[in-house]
Amino acid sequence: MNSSIMTIIIVLCEAVRRGTPLLLGTTGEILNEKSGSLNLGVEGTMAVGAITGALLGLATSNLFLALLGAFVGGMFCGLIYAFLTITLKANQNVTGLAITIFGSGLCLFIGETLKDTKKFPSYTSEFYSEITGGGIPVLKDIPYIGQLLFSYNALVYIAILIALVVWIYITKTKSGLRMRASGENPASADSVGINVDAERYKNIVVGSGIMGLGGVYMALFINNGLWNTDWINGYGWIAVALVIFANWSSARAIGGSYVFGFLLALKSRMPSLASAFPSVLSWSTAIPTELFDALPFIVTMLVLIFSSIKKRKNSGAPTGLGLNYFREER
Amino acid sequence: MKKKITVLLTVLVMIVASLGIMSAFTGCTDTDDEFKVGVLHINPVTSTSGYTYAHQQGITYAQEELGLKKSQIIIKDSLPDDQTDLINAAIEELIAEGCNMIIGTSFGYMEEMQAYAKLYPEIIFSHGTGYLDTYGEGQNNNMNNYFGRIYQIRYLAGLVAGLTTETGNIGYVVARGTDTAECTSGVNAFTLGAQAVNPNVKVHVMILNSWFDPTNEKGFADTLIEDYDCDVITQHCDTEGPSSSAKAHGVYSIGYNSDMALAVADKGVERDPSVLTSVLWNWGAYYKVAIETAMKCFDEQGNFVSNEEWIKFGNYYGDYTKGLYELAPLSENCAEGAAEIVALVEAMMAKGTTEWDVFTNKALSFTKENGEYVVTQVDRQLKDNEGNDINNVTVANITGDMPYWVAGVEVHNN
């Protein structure tokens, strides 16, 4: 049994590990939504990123290629979504759901077919230790703090970096302003010479690529690169809700993702917390584990309820969210 | 207009493609007059490890052994336990496709199968792992129930784990708790096995409350290793997650349902040495005799004659002597003496369960005499982990009603 402090640190680490795919999914979705597209295809986009990235990574034993593959896989889904909703003006919600069904189906199809024909690549021992180990050498050996801050795989830090870069891009740069204008009021943006369609295309495709990275994280780091039929496991849907929780700010999404990561980790880690703090948490052992499965979704619902009751003045929701822009109807 | 049509077509193509992908995994239809067996699986039939894989291997074995054509076996797969509508639809499809026998491999199909067995007296039903049947006065006598004394192999796995653990803490990721005897009997037998060679061993149990939760199957193993100092992990769930977690943490694991040493092996390595062994079903042993018996109830045109043979066959509860399960080859990391001790107990089990059985007040004790292990039976009182005595454990307890954990089991969630 670990000391109480160590138990807390282990649980927090687990929250970060499980929160990272959420952070990537959320950051990608924020890019989509801020430019005006409510993309409900996160789950499917992550699934495609997972299968392309994992296969490329396992086949080449190269983590960089895995990330690249996932990014391209995600971009592919983004491109379909953008083509349908922007060029063909299809309904965004329907298209997003279609991407989810299509992406999950494609991932299942490729994975099962390869498994069936015994061609699903297995990892080399070096690649396995790369995806199951990780951490910054020397720093991670500092007691407590090392484990808490420096013991993660590279993608955890990359995800934070991406979230911060996206935040700076959206709030501080000129091109971010153009992109926000396309999401807030595409007609006005158009009237000052912003190419709304191009802005949306760009952000959807890059955002979907980032979601793809979240997918490959699920495949390689959460599932250790072993195929199972449900790699994404609903994390994509939580990411959609997290966008609201984070008020459309990818910097806030960092904390929000870890909170939801913590909720997801509770099913497996609550018993450890309860035995580390028996006087405060002993009641928790009576909670059925099914409740922990439902917890992230219950909190999601609460967030939706509260955010709809309390219309914040400084809500980050773009006004033009979910609406296609018809230039002719201006 | 043109755009709308293009949109519609694109969306349609995507949906059809996804549906096509799903339906590619379900069986084909055929309507000639031969004996047909319908099979219901919980996971995709293409699985290459785990529960459905083990059952499908058995079905294929029986099909080949009995010289049946592929078209005589109709598979319906990916049917979750709780999706009553899907299960009912699948059974109805099998009946419509002319199946003479329907085999359900997962616990959750029990009620649906019994209901259909009552409606269709001229179809033979066989349901695995549950406890309902339709035998008895005034009933159709066409549905049996099958399972095996898998706890015998769990006991053997417990011996291996108890000998190999250094911390004395063994982790067990289990799908369900005291409401499911299939799970508790496995955990209890495993614990008794571990205690036979290592009296102070503790078995730490975490309950998933789900038969499909890949993320947490691995996550629970992580917790057991990181927080409870377990150095051997075993499982009663379907994926490679627990073995994979053990491997990543540099500890050992014992698999279930399929040979996890193959599943988690690195490229170019045949068997992963971190997997000590696996508890394996050999369902073919049952499916062969069951299908053979069911065929006797029909004439050559596939018309129902009588279910006399099926009544005689009855509920099936195979033990070690029937070859219904086995232990996978032991890894080089197993403690010294594990192979010898396992072989000793296997020899006892091969004689049937009358001489000695796991859930009795006789414990096995192993001593080394002149370099050879000797097994003796010693008296003990079986107790649960709340200190109550356990006596007279029957087959009905093991298959349907074992709402306790034996002493030495520590359960960490609910």
Side-chain angles (χ1 to χ4, degrees):
Chain A
M1 207 51 231
N2 298 305
S3 70
S4 315
I5 298 175
M6 205 55 209
T7 306
I8 293 180
I9 287 175
I10 289 176
V11 175
L12 291 178
C13 288
E14 183 75 14
V16 172
R17 280 200 290 264
R18 295 206 187 205
T20 298
L22 297 177
L23 177 58
L24 289 162
T26 308
T27 307
E29 180 67 9
I30 286 173
L31 277 178
N32 276 260
E33 293 197 9
K34 271 291 187 189
S35 62
S37 302
L38 182 63
N39 186 351
L40 295 180
V42 188
E43 183 88 3
T45 308
M46 283 174 80
V48 171
I51 193 78
T52 52
L55 288 180
L56 201 59
L58 289 171
T60 59
S61 295
N62 186 322
L63 192 57
F64 175 72
L65 286 179
L67 300 186
L68 191 69
F71 199 82
V72 171
M75 280 168 72
F76 166 70
C77 285
L79 213 54
I80 299 178
Y81 179 84
F83 178 69
L84 285 170
T85 59
I86 299 170
T87 307
L88 302 178
K89 312 282 186 228
N91 179 295
Q92 292 188 2
N93 297 348
V94 176
T95 310
L97 292 175
I99 295 281
T100 286
I101 300 171
F102 171 72
S104 311
L106 189 68
C107 175
L108 192 63
F109 175 63
I110 297 173
E112 288 291 318
T113 310
L114 288 176
K115 259 293 192 192
D116 193 23
T117 50
K118 303 211 184 287
K119 283 187 188 129
F120 200 92
S122 48
Y123 37 70
T124 59
S125 44
E126 293 80 27
F127 192 59
Y128 188 76
S129 39
E130 203 175 329
I131 59 177
T132 54
I136 301 169
V138 187
L139 285 181
K140 71 172 175 182
D141 297 326
I142 304 171
Y144 301 123
I145 295 172
Q147 172 120 3
L148 187 61
L149 299 179
F150 305 116
S151 69
Y152 307 102
N153 62 71
L155 199 46
V156 171
Y157 305 105
I158 294 175
I160 298 173
L161 202 68
I162 290 176
L164 290 175
V165 168
V166 166
W167 179 72
I168 291 169
Y169 160 69
I170 293 177
T171 54
K172 309 278 179 215
T173 67
K174 244 186 195 163
S175 51
L177 186 66
R178 279 198 287 273
M179 166 264 212
R180 270 188 291 150
S182 318
E184 291 291 347
N185 192 336
S188 316
D190 199 2
S191 69
V192 295
I194 295 171
N195 186 341
V196 174
D197 285 0
E199 282 299 325
R200 289 191 171 181
Y201 250 100
K202 202 168 66 187
N203 285 290
I204 290 172
V205 171
V206 174
S208 298
I210 296 173
M211 293 175 200
L213 293 180
V216 79
Y217 186 99
M218 291 300 292
L220 293 183
F221 300 108
I222 299 277
N223 289 296
N224 286 1
L226 288 166
W227 168 251
N228 76 52
T229 51
D230 203 1
W231 262 349
I232 309 302
N233 214 354
Y235 278 51
W237 290 111
I238 300 178
V240 175
L242 253 168
V243 173
I244 303 169
F245 188 74
N247 197 24
W248 288 266
S249 152
S250 57
R252 280 203 203 186
I254 300 174
S257 302
Y258 296 154
V259 169
F260 273 72
F262 179 75
L263 296 177
L264 286 165
L266 276 185
K267 183 174 179 184
S268 63
R269 300 293 173 161
M270 196 66 202
S272 325
L273 282 175
S275 36
F277 303 96
S279 52
V280 203
L281 290 171
S282 60
W283 50 270
S284 69
T285 50
I287 298 176
T289 44
E290 288 97 334
L291 191 69
F292 292 116
D293 282 331
L295 203 54
F297 302 95
I298 295 173
V299 174
T300 301
M301 271 193 284
L302 291 178
V303 168
L304 290 175
I305 292 170
F306 281 115
S307 61
S308 66
I309 293 174
K310 190 178 142 216
K311 283 263 182 267
R312 268 183 291 197
K313 252 191 224 152
N314 55 349
S315 163
T319 324
L321 180 61
L323 304 172
N324 287 337
Y325 175 57
F326 292 86
R327 199 169 197 207
E328 296 80 3
E329 290 172 6
R330 219 165 9 140
Chain B
M1 195 58 208
K2 214 171 160 192
K3 267 179 187 169
K4 270 190 187 157
I5 294 174
T6 326
V7 172
L8 262 176
L9 277 180
T10 322
V11 172
L12 260 178
V13 165
M14 282 163 62
I15 292 175
V16 168
S18 336
L19 288 179
I21 286 156
M22 288 167 197
S23 61
F25 296 113
T26 54
C28 53
T29 48
D30 198 65
T31 48
D32 46 304
D33 295 332
E34 52 199 0
F35 184 84
K36 282 204 203 84
V37 184
V39 184
L40 307 167
H41 282 311
I42 185 165
N43 290 328
V45 68
T46 51
S47 318
T48 47
S49 63
Y51 190 78
T52 294
Y53 171 77
H55 280 276
Q56 186 54 32
Q57 289 281 97
I59 296 282
T60 312
Y61 169 83
Q63 177 211 327
E64 282 165 5
E65 285 286 300
L66 297 171
L68 300 177
K69 284 181 285 183
K70 259 201 163 152
S71 61
Q72 286 177 273
I73 312 281
I74 303 174
I75 309 278
K76 301 282 170 197
D77 64 348
S78 300
L79 301 167
D81 266 354
D82 50 359
Q83 304 257 327
T84 312
D85 50 341
L86 283 184
I87 299 165
N88 284 338
I91 297 176
E92 269 171 24
E93 281 168 35
L94 290 176
I95 294 170
E97 286 166 34
C99 286
N100 307 88
M101 177 186 196
I102 294 178
I103 295 171
T105 59
S106 184
F107 182 83
Y109 309 158
M110 181 164 65
E111 277 97 1
E112 290 86 350
M113 285 188 70
Q114 196 189 38
Y116 279 97
K118 286 177 178 167
L119 284 176
Y120 293 92
E122 300 194 346
I123 295 175
I124 300 291
F125 289 81
S126 188
H127 177 250
T129 74
Y131 51 83
L132 295 181
D133 57 52
T134 61
Y135 289 119
E137 281 257 323
Q139 296 209 52
N140 286 341
N141 295 309
N142 60 341
M143 174 174 158
N144 85 336
N145 181 272
Y146 65 91
F147 201 55
R149 295 179 187 270
I150 190 72
Y151 68 87
Q152 292 185 311
I153 302 294
R154 291 274 189 205
Y155 184 90
L156 298 179
L159 293 172
V160 175
L163 285 165
T164 309
T165 177
E166 280 167 20
T167 62
N169 294 308
I170 302 172
Y172 203 129
V173 182
V174 63
R176 299 205 62 91
T178 46
D179 57 349
T180 306
E182 184 190 338
C183 294
T184 48
S185 64
V187 172
N188 289 342
F190 180 89
T191 308
L192 293 175
Q195 285 168 344
V197 289
N198 192 343
N200 297 322
V201 82
K202 245 192 205 167
V203 175
H204 298 266
V205 171
M206 284 187 74
I207 306 166
L208 287 159
N209 276 323
S210 166
W211 286 106
F212 186 74
D213 187 356
T215 315
N216 280 312
E217 285 175 26
K218 172 176 162 280
F220 276 21
D222 289 341
T223 305
L224 287 163
I225 299 164
E226 290 167 14
D227 296 349
Y228 296 103
D229 203 18
C230 296
D231 63 351
V232 179
I233 292 291
T234 189
Q235 66 182 90
H236 191 152
C237 51
D238 291 351
T239 71
E240 300 93 341
S243 287
S244 171
S245 163
K247 182 182 168 182
H249 284 88
V251 301
Y252 303 131
S253 67
I254 293 177
Y256 179 56
N257 268 333
S258 58
D259 197 334
M260 294 302 176
L262 305 175
V264 301
D266 293 339
K267 198 173 277 177
V269 179
E270 203 190 333
R271 303 183 60 82
D272 196 279
S274 76
V275 181
L276 297 175
T277 180
S278 294
V279 172
L280 300 180
W281 283 96
N282 175 22
W283 289 108
Y286 169 73
Y287 290 132
K288 189 183 162 209
V289 286
I291 296 175
E292 210 171 18
T293 313
M295 286 171 87
K296 289 181 192 157
C297 302
F298 297 84
D299 66 15
E300 277 175 19
Q301 281 76 46
N303 297 318
F304 183 74
V305 183
S306 101
N307 53 7
E308 201 181 307
E309 290 288 336
W310 195 246
I311 298 172
K312 237 191 279 169
F313 187 59
N315 286 334
Y316 180 93
Y317 194 53
D319 62 16
Y320 188 82
T321 59
K322 299 265 171 56
L324 194 59
Y325 37 72
E326 62 185 349
L327 209 55
L330 298 188
S331 126
E332 69 212 33
N333 287 320
C334 291
E336 217 186 299
E340 289 89 335
I341 289 178
V342 166
L344 270 180
V345 183
E346 275 181 328
M348 288 178 79
M349 288 176 175
K351 292 180 199 154
T353 52
T354 42
E355 189 181 327
W356 174 81
D357 201 4
V358 174
F359 297 111
T360 58
N361 282 330
K362 295 270 183 206
L364 295 185
S365 163
F366 304 92
T367 43
K368 210 167 184 181
E369 286 171 19
N370 309 326
E372 297 246 333
Y373 283 98
V374 181
V375 56
T376 45
Q377 299 189 26
V378 289
D379 287 325
R380 59 103 192 266
Q381 174 59 52
L382 207 55
K383 280 186 186 295
D384 71 14
N385 65 356
E386 287 165 2
N388 307 314
D389 289 355
I390 302 168
N391 291 309
N392 304 324
V393 178
T394 62
V395 170
N397 289 131
I398 297 164
T399 51
D401 180 35
M402 192 180 255
Y404 50 78
W405 312 96
V406 295
V409 174
E410 210 172 293
V411 183
H412 293 294
N413 61 356
N414 194 0

